[in-house]
Amino acid sequence: QLPDPLVREVRIVDVTRNSQSYSLSTIFDEFIGKTLNDANLDKLESDISRFNKINNITTTSYSFTPYNKRSSSEGILYLYIRDWEKSPSRIAISLDGYFGFSNNPENYSWANTNLDIAGIFAKVNDTDLDASIDLSFKDVAKGTGKLYYNISSADKILIDGIAGLSISVGGISPVNSNYFKNRITSTGLQASISLGTQLQYASDLLFQSNIVYKISYLSPSTLPKELIYHLNNNDVAQIPYTDPFVSQLHFMLGSVYSVHDPSLFSTSGFLVNLNGMLGNDNNNFSYSGEFGVKYSYPINKQDTFKFNFNLSFRNSNPELLDSYYQLGGYRGMAGYANSQYRRGYMLIDLTYQKELGKFVGPIFLQSGIKFLTYDSYNPYDNLYSTAPPATLMHYPESSINIFEVADIGVYVGIGTKFNKASLVVGLGFSVDKKFALTIEFF
C-alpha cells in the first residue's frame, strides 16, 4: 500500500484569472508538512467550503502533484479557483421532517415537517451592504431579514456588523407546539430587532455579540375538553396567559471553534461552543448558558468513535416556547419524544459508528449510550393555575437545577447522507421505561 501524499507546498491557481486577492487564502498553508490522510482530507474540504462561502466563489477543486511521479509521495497541493460571474441573488429551500412513536405521556406519535426558504443578496444597490431574508414555517410562520456590513477584512480576520428584524405569527407558546398531544391552537405575535457583530478568525474560530429586543403577544386560548374538567368552572371558554404581553431585552455573547463536519455521520473533527445571555424579561432578571463539545475519532476508514457533550440552562419567560430546550428526538435523549421541553439539561452521548457500504449514498450504523440529567419543571404539568382567576402557563416556583432528574438510555440507528442532507431511523430505550421510534430527515 502506497503512503499517503505528503504536502510540501500549497499553490492557489485562479482558473478564471480575476487577478484579485481572496480572504483567508493563507488557511491552506497549515497543510504544509501534513499527509493527505482521510482526516486531513475532510479538514481540507471543510476549509474549502468556508473559503468559497466567505469569498463568494463558484467552486474550488484540488489535486496533488508529486515531485517525482515514479517514487516520491511528497509534492504540491494545488487549489483551482473557478469564480465565474454569478447572480448576486441566491435562493435555497430546505425541508426537514420528524416522525415517530413513543410511550411518553406528552405525545405518543408525531409527524411534523418544517419548510425553510432563504435568500442572499450581495452588494445591495452597489453598496457594501449584503442582505439575507429567511422564511420558515414550523410551529410559527417566521420571517427574518438581516443586513451585513464588512467592518474589517484582514488576511485571517473578518469582522461584520449585523442588523436584523424578525416577525413571527402562530404558536409561540409550549401549549401551541406541534409535538404536544393536547395542542391548543391560538395565534401569537412576536417581533424582534437586533444589532451585533461577528468576528471570524481563519476558518475555524467565530465570535458573536448581539443585543436583541423582543416583544410578544399571547392571545387567550380555548382549552380542550379533556383539560377543562380540572377547573372548577366547566363553562370556561377561553383562558388568558399570566402575562399576555412579554417584553425582553437580551445581551448575548457566543463563540465556536470548529474543525468538525456538521453532518450527523461525521467521521473526524472537533467542535467546542460557548454561549451566554443576560437580560430582562418583563422586569425579571433572565439568563442562559450553553457549553458543548463534539469529537469524532476515526478508528479506521469504516469505524468511528463519537463523543458529544452538552450542558445548557435558560431562565427566560416560561410562557414562550423559545425559553425551553428540546430533549427528545434522535439527536436528543434515547427513548424521549420530541415533546420533552425543559429549562436546562446535561447530556453525554457515546456513539460507535460503522459505514456498512453504499447505496446512492453511504450507509451508516450507529449505536450508543446516553446519560441525561435535567431540570424537573415541565411546562405541560403547569399548563394553567386552578386558583381563580385561571391563567395559562403557571410560573415555576423553583430555580433551575439541571441535575434534579437523571436517566440513562441506549439506542441504535441506521441512516445515510447525500450532499448536505441526512436521513436516519432510530430506536431508543431509557432506564426510566421510555422508548421512542424516530424517523428524521434534515
Side-chain angles (χ1 to χ4, degrees):
Q1 182 178 358
L2 295 176
D4 292 321
L6 177 63
V7 177
R8 290 301 186 190
E9 297 180 60
V10 175
R11 297 181 185 177
I12 297 178
V13 180
D14 191 341
V15 176
T16 47
R17 299 179 181 178
N18 286 331
S19 300
Q20 70 178 81
S21 59
Y22 294 100
S23 300
L24 305 183
S25 59
T26 58
I27 62 173
F28 300 110
D29 292 343
E30 68 177 275
F31 292 95
I32 296 175
K34 294 183 178 179
T35 58
L36 295 180
N37 55 27
D38 289 342
N40 285 333
L41 284 175
D42 286 345
K43 175 67 167 57
L44 176 62
E45 291 178 358
S46 177
D47 284 351
I48 288 175
S49 178
R50 292 190 182 97
F51 176 74
N52 289 346
K53 182 178 180 180
I54 289 170
N55 291 284
N56 198 26
I57 291 171
T58 307
T59 183
T60 299
S61 59
Y62 65 88
S63 69
F64 178 82
T65 302
Y67 289 133
N68 186 332
K69 294 185 178 181
R70 290 187 177 182
S71 59
S72 175
S73 62
E74 301 181 8
I76 305 170
L77 173 63
Y78 284 96
L79 296 156
Y80 301 98
I81 296 175
R82 294 170 174 82
D83 191 19
W84 297 297
E85 186 69 25
K86 301 179 292 297
S87 169
S89 301
R90 288 177 288 163
I91 295 178
I93 300 175
S94 64
L95 182 67
D96 301 343
Y98 302 89
F99 311 90
F101 302 91
S102 79
N103 66 343
N104 295 195
E106 290 84 0
N107 204 356
Y108 299 121
S109 64
W110 58 95
N112 293 311
T113 56
N114 304 323
L115 176 65
D116 191 272
I117 304 173
I120 299 175
F121 309 91
K123 306 299 180 184
V124 178
N125 290 333
D126 294 324
T127 66
D128 290 331
L129 290 174
D130 295 336
S132 68
I133 296 177
D134 185 89
L135 301 174
S136 62
F137 303 90
K138 301 178 183 179
D139 285 307
V140 299
K142 182 177 182 179
T144 302
K146 291 183 178 182
L147 290 175
Y148 303 83
Y149 179 76
N150 182 250
I151 299 172
S152 176
S153 183
D155 186 40
K156 284 193 175 183
I157 298 177
L158 292 174
I159 303 177
D160 290 323
I162 305 173
L165 171 66
S166 177
I167 297 176
S168 301
V169 180
I172 61 176
S173 174
V175 301
N176 311 130
S177 171
N178 288 325
Y179 294 111
F180 181 37
K181 67 178 180 181
N182 294 319
R183 179 174 182 262
I184 300 170
T185 302
S186 63
T187 300
L189 300 174
Q190 191 174 77
S192 68
I193 56 174
S194 62
L195 290 173
T197 58
Q198 176 176 286
L199 184 152
Q200 181 160 355
Y201 178 79
S203 63
D204 307 325
L205 187 59
L206 182 69
F207 295 96
Q208 292 180 313
S209 62
N210 286 286
I211 300 175
V212 179
Y213 177 72
K214 184 189 300 181
I215 187 167
S216 306
Y217 170 70
L218 299 132
S219 62
S221 300
T222 302
L223 289 181
K225 292 181 179 180
E226 57 266 32
L227 296 178
I228 291 178
Y229 75 89
H230 289 287
L231 296 172
N232 295 326
N233 182 2
N234 291 340
D235 296 327
V236 171
Q238 287 189 326
I239 300 181
Y241 284 82
T242 304
D243 286 322
F245 288 95
V246 181
S247 174
Q248 299 171 295
L249 181 64
H250 292 169
F251 301 86
M252 297 181 287
L253 292 174
S255 63
V256 58
Y257 172 79
S258 176
V259 288
H260 194 280
D261 181 352
S263 168
L264 175 66
F265 304 107
S266 59
T267 57
S268 66
F270 175 77
L271 179 149
V272 59
N273 68 276
L274 180 64
N275 299 290
M277 180 274 288
L278 295 176
N280 182 293
D281 290 22
N282 277 6
N283 297 320
N284 294 310
F285 176 62
S286 60
Y287 58 86
S288 72
E290 300 172 354
F291 175 69
V293 175
K294 289 184 179 181
Y295 177 62
S296 297
Y297 175 76
I299 302 170
N300 51 50
K301 290 187 176 181
Q302 286 78 38
D303 303 283
T304 304
F305 169 75
K306 302 166 74 71
F307 169 80
N308 289 341
F309 173 85
N310 283 286
L311 188 152
S312 301
F313 53 88
R314 183 180 294 154
N315 184 29
S316 298
N317 189 287
E319 298 178 323
L320 301 177
L321 184 60
D322 57 16
S323 295
Y324 298 89
Y325 296 99
Q326 167 65 268
L327 300 189
Y330 183 79
R331 290 171 287 182
M333 179 58 182
Y336 282 50
N338 287 41
S339 54
Q340 297 286 334
Y341 293 105
R342 295 295 187 275
R343 298 182 298 172
Y345 73 100
M346 182 183 72
L347 180 64
I348 300 173
D349 178 2
L350 304 175
T351 298
Y352 165 74
Q353 174 179 291
K354 186 175 186 64
E355 184 175 347
L356 301 178
K358 290 188 177 182
F359 179 76
V360 181
I363 306 297
F364 296 94
L365 175 69
Q366 291 184 338
S367 61
I369 183 170
K370 297 187 179 186
F371 304 88
L372 173 71
T373 65
Y374 59 93
D375 179 69
S376 65
Y377 177 80
N378 183 345
Y380 299 127
D381 291 339
N382 298 271
L383 192 61
Y384 55 84
S385 62
T386 56
T391 57
L392 282 171
M393 297 307 301
H394 183 55
Y395 275 51
E397 298 177 355
S398 61
S399 58
I400 298 175
N401 181 1
I402 62 174
F403 303 109
E404 192 170 0
V405 184
D407 202 358
I408 301 174
V410 294
Y411 77 100
V412 61
I414 188 168
T416 185
K417 66 176 182 178
F418 33 93
N419 294 328
K420 296 182 180 180
S422 298
L423 169 67
V424 65
V425 179
L427 179 64
F429 300 88
S430 81
V431 171
D432 197 28
K433 299 180 181 179
K434 296 179 179 179
F435 79 86
L437 172 67
T438 57
I439 304 172
E440 300 181 2
F441 61 86
F442 42 86

